[in-house]
Amino acid sequence: MTDRKLLKQLMLSCALTAAAMTTAYAQQTPQPENPALKIYRAVPTKINDLIHTKLDVRFDYKKRYLYGKEWVTLKPHFYPTDSLRLDAKGMDLKNISLVKNGKNVPLKFTYQDSLSVAIKLDKVYHNNESYTIYIDYTAKPNELKEKGSAAINDAKGLYFINPDGTEKDKPTQIWTQGETESSSAWFPTIDKPSQKTTEEITMTVPAKYVTLSNGKLTAQKINADGTRTDTWKQDLPHSPYLFMMAVGDFKIYKDKWKDKEVSYYLEPKYAPYAKEIFGFTPEAIDFYSKTLGVDFPWVKYSQIVVRDYVSGAMENTSATLHGDYVQATHRELIDANYNNGRSTIVHELFHQWFGDYVTAESWSNLTVNESFANFSETIWAEHKYGKDEADAHNYADMQSYLRSPGANTKNLVRFYYADKEDVFDAVTYQKGGRILNMLRNYLGDAAFYKGLNIYLKTNAFKNGEAQQLRLAFEEASGQDLNWYFNQWYYGAGHPILNISYKWDEATKTETVYLKQNQDGQTFKLPMAIDIYQGGKKVRHKEWMNDKVDSISYQLAGKPDLVNVDADKILLTKKTDTKTIDELSFQYFNAPNYLDRFEAIDAAAADQTRPQAQKILIAALKDKYYGLRVKTIRALNLTKDDVRNAAQPILISLAQTDNNTLVRAAAITALGKLKASGNMTLFTQAMSSESYAVQGAALNAIGLLDPAKALSLAKGLEKDNKGALTTAITNLYTANGNDAEWPFVYHAFTEAGIQEKFNTLKNFADMTAKVNKPEYAQQGIEELKNAGIKFKVYGAAPFVITQLEGIKAARTTMKDDASVKAADDAIKAINDAK
């Protein structure tokens, strides 16, 4: 699962600075110790094993019910037993029987907590005997009270989207979400990742709709009542949380990899863009199959996009489900970079091996699912887009972990947690992915991927944990890796590394001083150190084994650069005391993304220095678009010498760069100069096909001529997305009035999580100043909803601050009804659980 990784959608990005600042103090305040953190989370004891699960379901759209019949085949795991316990959340259990000689023999059962059912079998069964239970039940997901998490913001398992068709512009859909243990909200099962079962699902649905499930569609039958019955079979075993169903009006685009179907299910209006959105999937399947030495293991691979999804995406076996943020038009895809859906698509695909083919034995070992899926994003980026893209992605993930409060106190393999949902965090995802990349760098690609091959083949269709992973890497490499796993998998934190240098001219000795400043464990760090001198680079392989260490080199003369951690692979918070001259040399001579990134960062901090200006002007033409964007945003154009050198390059970038995000950044920088001579450039940019370029141009025009920008914005209201929508919204909230409110309100209500936070303050400002009380109350209601929905992310204090500001403004306007609405909204947010 991801968030985009969040955490692909699992965490909000650093763009939520305002909300993060609001809650920072609260996060630092010592919290009472949670007794649940002292409970060891053992792998659940296996008493019975699932073998096969057969379901026959139909849906009641009006009641939001599922009417189900189930035949589940099991056997005792090892010890004889005469009882069975199944997870079954919030159901009506009408009949539980043993299927014997073709007949259903009723069994006694106890279902008191509405979470699991205890069944008394007809006799004692041994582990060489299987038995089949028949269950007639009704699932009522909307009546289930289950809490979600920051990763998965709901846990009712089965979702009816616009079932009555009353919501305009929203399709009617049904879909499921099983992770972590929510499949048992729509069918009784042993809802643990350590269980594996084959499956057969028969769905009866309105004939106008399409269905999707795991495995292969084996039968379709048209019924006389206007329904159709579809049967899907999954013949290879997988865990219950990976079961899925989806029903709705989808167009199917069929692709293939070798002889296997690869298909994409999209809303009809996005069907023309199916190939643009998902078309690289067969290439990615091929790349991962060859890299791992294990071909894609399932009968088919489908991807479906649904509305109102409760997370980023979910790797259901052979049938990944995506939130609608990956659904985009050609114009939107022009501006999409690797992180706009593409990384999530490959993340979920890699789970088909790591998570589905071999599944974490318990949530404590979630790393063998999610850390690998995170890792896969980097290796695909390297394969498809080049090493700079991969390094940028990997570095951003490391920063997400380093900035995550409390993450440094948590082990990667976590046997103690308050709730299983808590392990879906920046440690499991971003830190875990970085740790795998470090190990890949240390072992080398051949040994690393051989280890993955051994792990997958040894544990195929079974469960895995980190110790099995260690053993596989040791078998492949011949090395003992306990030291690595002990510090990175079973220990917490990361090194806080200080690096300093001393050149002794008399002895021609360069000394590198290394110091780890973190509390807790000392990390054993293998690293490459590159020394540049006399036009040559010499690499040294070194180890840091103590908290304070030093390494000396006898050289012919003072080096131009000593580059510690030359591969820029270590997971560390680093202070490196290079001079600006050394960093300038590093920018122009060291090969990696982070070599150039570090130089640009240092140059941006003090742009008065000639060497800093040299770095920044050169970096405007860096080979990687992300560093061009970074440099543009870092320029201090109030300095005459910086502006004079940069402006001609910015104009060229704005007009001709092959990346629309670079063009947009250049236009934004030029716009801030408020130079009327650039108006022609901005006006020409308004004809771009790119929403990002148009949005930047509209903002720039707005700084020069707000009336002209407002006029242009009116003509763009029918076709705008992303950055252009944001630009129109910002223009309207700053300069508009009640006439612009409907657009602003609609844009905010339709925005995704990140877009909502990016525009929340401006939306609140306009809510405060509109004349019509009904408009103000619409805005207050939306802010209340955002505050409640995103309270789990720590956003509530920030939203409440905005509501307090609205309340003050409406008080001045004597709008008592809106003042009361603001008070009610603040109370509702504070009271929300």
Side-chain angles (χ1 to χ4, degrees), residues 16-27 794-802:
L16 308 188
T17 305
M21 289 174 62
T22 305
T23 58
Y25 178 77
Q27 289 167 339
F798 177 64
V799 177
I800 288 171
T801 298
Q802 305 312 307

Side-chain angles (χ1 to χ4, degrees), residues 398-410:
M398 183 175 76
Q399 294 306 307
S400 292
Y401 156 72
L402 291 174
R403 293 169 182 162
S404 182
N408 65 317
T409 65
K410 299 172 184 176

Side-chain angles (χ1 to χ4, degrees), residues 52-69:
H52 182 68
T53 303
K54 180 179 177 180
L55 299 171
D56 185 346
V57 304
R58 62 187 64 231
F59 307 97
D60 188 326
Y61 284 79
K62 185 175 182 180
K63 292 182 178 179
R64 284 67 160 166
Y65 287 175
L66 175 150
Y67 302 119
K69 299 181 188 301

Side-chain angles (χ1 to χ4, degrees), residues 451-705:
L452 296 192
N453 178 269
I454 293 168
Y455 172 81
L456 288 172
K457 288 183 175 177
T458 302
N459 303 294
F461 304 110
K462 296 187 291 187
N463 295 91
E465 60 174 70
Q467 293 290 17
Q468 290 165 311
L469 186 64
R470 174 182 63 81
L471 292 171
F473 282 130
E474 289 184 345
E475 181 180 341
S477 67
Q479 298 189 40
D480 183 294
L481 294 173
N482 274 294
W483 67 272
Y484 192 88
F485 277 75
N486 285 342
Q487 73 182 22
W488 289 117
Y489 280 80
Y490 300 102
H494 52 271
I496 299 175
L497 188 61
N498 185 276
I499 307 167
S500 57
Y501 311 87
K502 181 181 178 182
W503 169 250
D504 188 322
E505 180 64 31
T507 61
K508 305 294 185 186
T509 303
E510 176 76 16
T511 303
V512 179
Y513 297 95
L514 303 170
K515 183 178 181 183
Q516 295 182 33
N517 294 314
Q518 74 280 357
D519 296 329
Q521 68 169 316
T522 300
F523 287 85
K524 185 176 180 179
L525 302 175
M527 65 182 77
I529 298 180
D530 287 349
I531 298 179
Y532 292 79
Q533 184 192 45
K536 295 181 179 179
K537 179 181 80 173
V538 177
R539 170 156 290 196
H540 302 267
K541 294 290 188 73
E542 306 288 4
W543 287 79
M544 183 181 186
N545 295 307
D546 300 304
K547 276 207 169 177
V548 179
D549 207 346
S550 63
I551 308 166
S552 295
Y553 302 97
Q554 293 292 127
L555 303 172
K558 189 177 188 308
D560 297 301
L561 175 69
V562 178
N563 200 7
V564 176
D565 182 26
D567 290 329
K568 298 296 181 281
I569 198 70
L570 292 179
L571 171 55
T572 179
K573 186 175 181 182
K574 180 178 70 172
T575 301
D576 196 335
T577 57
K578 294 187 179 89
T579 67
I580 192 64
D581 287 335
E582 290 167 333
L583 285 163
S584 178
F585 184 93
Q586 179 172 302
Y587 180 85
F588 291 103
N589 294 276
N592 291 318
Y593 163 83
L594 268 177
D595 292 316
R596 284 131 56 213
F597 181 102
E598 290 172 356
I600 294 166
D601 251 5
D606 183 359
Q607 299 183 30
T608 60
R609 299 169 295 180
Q611 284 287 29
Q613 293 175 17
K614 180 183 176 183
I615 293 168
L616 293 174
I617 298 306
L620 287 173
K621 298 179 181 178
D622 194 277
K623 64 178 181 174
Y624 177 58
Y625 80 92
L627 290 180
R628 298 199 297 278
V629 171
K630 175 180 174 65
T631 305
I632 292 167
R633 292 173 177 169
L635 289 172
N636 181 359
L637 296 178
T638 63
K639 288 189 57 58
D640 291 347
D641 44 358
V642 174
R643 184 179 64 255
N644 292 339
Q647 191 166 354
I649 302 172
L650 289 173
I651 290 171
S652 175
L653 293 174
Q655 294 173 321
T656 64
D657 197 276
N658 60 9
N659 185 282
T660 58
L661 301 181
V662 175
R663 295 210 301 273
I667 291 167
T668 297
L670 291 168
K672 291 175 182 176
L673 296 177
K674 298 183 182 179
S676 58
N678 288 324
M679 179 61 91
T680 300
L681 185 155
F682 302 150
T683 303
Q684 289 172 344
M686 290 301 302
S687 64
S688 172
E689 198 178 9
S690 159
Y691 288 127
V693 171
Q694 279 192 318
L698 185 64
N699 283 329
I701 292 168
L703 293 171
L704 286 170
D705 188 343

Side-chain angles (χ1 to χ4, degrees), residues 419-435:
D419 189 285
K420 61 186 179 300
E421 309 297 338
D422 298 344
V423 297
F424 291 80
D425 63 6
V427 177
T428 297
Y429 284 73
Q430 285 93 332
K431 182 182 182 182
R434 181 82 176 192
I435 286 167

Side-chain angles (χ1 to χ4, degrees), residues 747-787:
F748 188 80
T749 56
E750 293 297 310
I753 294 174
Q754 192 63 59
E755 291 79 10
K756 264 192 169 62
F757 274 93
N758 289 345
T759 58
L760 193 143
K761 188 176 188 310
N762 286 348
F763 180 76
D765 290 345
M766 192 168 189
T767 300
K769 73 179 184 180
V770 288
N771 292 316
K772 290 185 179 180
E774 58 264 39
Y775 286 172
Q777 288 156 41
Q778 283 180 340
I780 290 166
E781 179 70 13
E782 279 302 309
L783 290 166
K784 179 193 78 174
N785 293 340

